[in-house]
Amino acid sequence: MSTQINHPLLYKEFEILSDKRGLHSVSIYLPMDKKGKEQNEHLAQARLKSAIKQVHKTLETYTLSPQEIKEYLLPLESLLTNLELWRNPSDGLAIFLNEDGLQYYTFPISFDTKIHVANHFYLSPLLPLYTDQGLYYLLELSQDYVKLYEASKYGLKDLYIDDFAPDQLEKAVGFDFRPKLVQFRSGQAPHGAGIFHGHGDGKDDEKKELITFFRALDKGVNKVINGQNSPLVLACVDSLFPLYKEANSYKNLYDKHIPGDSQFTDKKELHQASWALIADYFETKRKSKLKQFNELYNTSKTSYVTEDIIPAAVNGKIDTLFLPKDMDVYGTYSKDSEHVNINSTKEPQNVSLSHMAALKTLKQKGNVFLMAPDDMPIKGAPFNALFRY
């Protein structure tokens, strides 16, 4: 069986990055080179070297001495000679530096070059990992095998559900559950449908035992997912799906499942099958929210006014936020007075209001879609928002 695929950056790790604060927090996004010619010419390293110079210049506007800047940027300089990084490139590289040290990640996203210095890390280029690229959960389910993954277009990450829930029917209902009287076996009917053997009470007992198992499992799923609203996809034989639906309390169980017993399925194939099943959900959602915005345009449920949208994002009022790609509005926001002050450029004392609104919306279970400027509902506006209330 193949090694499972890792999600490029789990949402929990994304949240940790987004919560970090510190003066002179540096974020750098760069495209990497996979072709031999570009690698041989060290073009990616040259981009990083140029980015370091730009960061150095930016830090000169802060109250740092030349020596302090030089020492602070040493971890970035060390990346230039990190042979492992450049020998195994992905599509994009994200680098984060603050007083706690350096973190860097490679991603299957080809970033445009972006350098940002503020009191927080700049994470807007990563938003597609959790919005239109699809954050969802995948639950592999049988009587004696359970696995829960966080998933996206890019891969799967094991969430270790067995720490919170039984992974076998016997553990939920006891080991004396009369397997000889009633047998339930998978993979012996078309499309992986399970077959009940036995009649009358035996079949009812088996169903009750499965429901008991699934209710215990459902509690564990909700503990692990912990209040998220991303869709949950099941991989199971056909006959188990309606039983799990009966036991389920998670609010966004997807109405289609991957049929068959997935226990011995290659995890890359399982990931591909799950993404093929769920991909339309995210595109349909984007289209649905665009349609909703247009229908509610010129009502109090929508806005394209920055001064209205920033307080709404902070207060969890936004259902869906549309942002043009590669555009930032800089300024300051006072939570006490809810006053927004917009500046023409990035300055040491201000922030990207676009980045702030996006993260606040995402953290409060809203939708954030990065759009081509011509695809924005209200073209030319830096924000379009659909409000919850």
Side-chain angles (χ1 to χ4, degrees):
M1 193 178 300
S2 69
T3 305
Q4 75 174 41
I5 316 159
N6 285 330
H7 187 282
L9 187 69
L10 284 178
Y11 185 69
K12 287 181 181 178
E13 295 175 59
F14 176 87
E15 281 192 308
I16 291 169
L17 283 172
S18 70
D19 289 339
K20 288 191 174 183
R21 293 292 178 271
L23 295 174
H24 330 127
S25 296
V26 176
S27 307
I28 299 174
Y29 293 87
L30 299 169
M32 299 189 82
D33 297 312
K34 288 185 173 181
K35 295 179 180 178
K37 181 183 177 184
E38 286 83 352
Q39 284 194 51
N40 291 336
E41 293 176 358
H42 305 297
L43 296 182
Q45 290 96 314
R47 290 189 202 100
L48 177 55
K49 199 169 185 178
S50 176
I52 293 171
K53 286 181 180 178
Q54 189 171 332
V55 172
H56 192 290
K57 189 175 180 180
T58 302
L59 290 177
E60 289 173 351
T61 65
Y62 289 77
T63 54
L64 291 171
S65 70
Q67 184 61 29
E68 286 174 322
I69 295 173
K70 183 178 179 181
E71 291 177 2
Y72 186 64
L73 297 182
L74 282 176
L76 285 178
E77 298 280 356
S78 70
L79 279 184
L80 292 170
T81 54
N82 185 330
L83 297 180
E84 186 65 25
L85 173 63
W86 307 110
R87 280 176 183 164
N88 300 284
S90 188
D91 294 294
L93 173 65
I95 306 168
F96 305 105
L97 173 69
N98 65 7
E99 292 176 352
D100 295 330
L102 179 78
Q103 292 173 266
Y104 64 91
Y105 306 85
T106 56
F107 291 94
I109 303 173
S110 184
F111 301 119
D112 292 326
T113 300
K114 176 78 176 179
I115 295 98
H116 194 271
V117 181
N119 68 345
H120 60 274
F121 292 136
Y122 182 83
L123 303 175
S124 291
L126 301 181
L127 288 174
L129 290 169
Y130 313 101
T131 53
D132 48 337
Q133 301 302 322
L135 176 66
Y136 63 102
Y137 298 96
L138 174 63
L139 180 64
E140 288 188 86
L141 179 64
S142 71
Q143 284 196 55
D144 55 5
Y145 177 78
V146 172
K147 283 281 185 183
L148 179 66
Y149 303 97
E150 184 179 72
S152 77
K153 177 181 180 180
Y154 303 109
L156 308 174
K157 179 71 174 180
D158 196 334
L159 293 181
Y160 301 105
I161 184 78
D162 47 328
D163 291 341
F164 300 90
D167 59 359
Q168 295 180 16
L169 186 149
E170 293 96 323
K171 292 180 182 179
V173 302
F175 285 87
D176 58 344
F177 72 113
R178 298 180 299 166
K180 291 181 181 178
L181 176 64
V182 183
Q183 298 174 34
F184 182 88
R185 294 179 181 171
S186 63
Q188 298 180 13
H191 311 297
I195 302 174
F196 281 103
H197 299 278
H199 302 280
D201 292 338
K203 186 173 180 179
D204 292 338
D205 287 344
E206 180 73 7
K207 180 179 176 181
K208 288 177 184 176
E209 286 159 349
L210 285 165
I211 293 289
T212 299
F213 174 33
F214 293 160
R215 282 181 178 148
L217 181 56
D218 171 69
K219 287 181 181 178
V221 168
N222 279 281
K223 281 182 183 177
V224 176
I225 294 177
N226 193 24
Q228 298 299 318
N229 192 39
S230 299
L232 172 64
V233 176
L234 260 60
C236 63
V237 296
D238 292 344
S239 50
L240 290 185
F241 186 59
L243 299 181
Y244 190 86
K245 282 178 72 174
E246 187 175 332
N248 172 68
S249 65
Y250 182 65
K251 56 189 173 183
N252 198 5
L253 178 66
Y254 197 53
D255 60 2
K256 298 176 184 176
H257 70 288
I258 303 166
D261 188 343
S262 66
Q263 181 174 357
F264 301 105
T265 302
D266 180 279
K267 297 311 171 199
K268 288 184 180 179
E269 292 179 9
L270 180 64
H271 170 249
Q272 290 168 356
S274 68
W275 179 249
L277 186 72
I278 197 72
D280 282 349
Y281 168 88
F282 296 103
E283 188 54 34
T284 300
K285 189 175 187 180
R286 180 203 288 257
K287 290 178 180 177
S288 171
K289 293 300 181 181
L290 280 169
K291 181 181 178 184
Q292 204 174 341
F293 182 97
N294 289 326
E295 288 174 347
L296 293 171
Y297 180 58
N298 275 336
T299 74
S300 61
K301 292 294 290 291
T302 64
S303 179
Y304 58 90
V305 179
T306 301
E307 289 82 356
D308 294 337
I309 290 171
I310 300 302
V314 171
N315 294 317
K317 185 180 176 181
I318 295 181
D319 173 274
T320 303
L321 182 66
F322 301 99
L323 297 171
K325 290 179 181 177
D326 305 320
M327 180 187 292
D328 281 282
V329 174
Y330 295 104
T332 56
Y333 172 69
S334 169
K335 191 171 182 180
D336 292 335
S337 65
E338 296 195 337
H339 176 70
V340 179
N341 184 51
I342 298 173
N343 306 131
S344 58
T345 58
K346 176 76 185 79
E347 299 169 4
Q349 68 272 18
N350 66 18
V351 298
S352 165
L353 296 172
S354 310
H355 177 266
M356 183 177 78
L359 260 62
K360 292 289 186 183
T361 300
L362 189 66
K363 283 188 173 185
Q364 295 175 93
K365 310 297 184 293
N367 307 292
V368 182
F369 295 116
L370 299 183
M371 313 282 287
D374 287 344
D375 293 336
M376 289 281 287
I378 307 301
K379 295 174 179 59
F383 302 91
N384 290 176
L386 175 64
F387 298 136
R388 287 179 167 133
Y389 53 89

